[in-house]
Amino acid sequence: MNTPAHQSVFGAVHLGYIVIETNRFTDWRRFGTDAIGMHHDAPDAGLMRFRLDDQECRFLLRRGPAEDVVATGWHIADHPTFERIEARVRAHGVPLVQGTAEEAALRGVERLLRFPGPKGITQEIYTTPVKSAEPLRMLASGFVTGDSGMGHVAITSTRPTQIRGYYNTVFDARLTDCIDETISGVKLKIRFLRVNERHHSIAVAAVQGLPIDPIRTRVQHLNIQAATLDDIARSYQRVYELGFDMALSVGQHTNDKELSYYARTPSGFEWEVGWNPVTIDEATWQPTTHQGISVWGHTPVGRTIIDKLDQFRLGARSLTRPEVTVPALGGTGVCDD
């Protein structure tokens, strides 16, 4: 039956904003404005926002102890598609909460709905983003957003097929490709999911053969796309000069060909600044599996044996706590194509 709820929403979904909970406002302001080069504003003492473009908010930081991403906001292209997604979620018995006018205003959006997401990351959908008349004040020349959204979110998971099932159910996400990688003797499979022409808006990494999650935070990294190669080079230099930790040096990925580096945020998860990834042609693209995450570069920076031991401890601890997968939407999961 091809009811409105069953009609595909692929291509009408775009990653629009991220909500982060932190008490490290001073460090985050330096990181976001002085290192990465984004526009900053502060609606009040307990909130901070960063802009990448004319949309009022791309990153909303609120005070709290999580030191993590707590919500992802998805821009839905039109009202009928918004209602189609809402109907899907309701049909699976998952509760939705309508955002207040104040919450929508802080995010710079209209018609805000939220519902539970994998790993405890609340999923928020909205229709019309509010454009700001205030000129951008950024060290960067610009960032790439537009029809493909604003970069991607990467998570680690012990239940990757259920995570893929979730995003397939809600957004008709498609598998772009996979990467097999061995890091410090641990074998990983990383699955890259797209919801539009961007190579991926969600990446899901899983330890092969072991149900462990070696990452403390809900997200492993966030990505934003710089407008120019010069922007990448200058922000990389600023991260070093300002004393922020670098996680991975500049390199180029095997699958999306993006040139990027990874810095460590004040909250502990990583922040990738990338440039010039491939765009997907739906008429010709076929999923493949790549060996290794990088063609060159992306060398770990400053990792010690203590860091590795901490990861093993976190992995062992993850065995005792169940991962949030929202079974009503993830179902039995979706295996690799």
Side-chain angles (χ1 to χ4, degrees), residues 10 13 30 42 55 99 107 215 221-222 240 252 268 282 298 316 332:
F10 181 86
V13 179
R30 290 181 64 244
Q55 189 164 317
R107 291 156 173 77
I215 303 297
H221 75 263
L222 304 179
Y240 262 119
Q252 186 178 32
E282 295 297 330
H298 288 141
T332 58

Side-chain angles (χ1 to χ4, degrees), residues 61-126:
L61 281 68
R62 69 188 192 204
R63 290 200 183 274
E67 300 301 340
D68 206 346
V69 169
V70 293
T72 51
W74 299 91
H75 176 200
I76 310 305
D78 52 58
H79 292 287
T81 306
F82 183 96
E83 290 158 6
R84 196 170 299 146
I85 294 170
E86 179 183 3
R88 287 182 183 185
V89 176
R90 290 193 190 281
H92 285 81
V94 175
L96 295 98
V97 176
Q98 185 169 338
T100 66
E102 180 184 13
E103 289 170 332
L106 284 174
R107 291 156 173 77
V109 303
E110 297 178 5
R111 203 178 181 193
L112 175 66
L113 279 179
R114 63 169 60 90
F115 49 93
K119 299 206 69 173
I121 303 172
T122 299
Q123 305 297 295
E124 301 182 351
I125 58 173
Y126 66 94

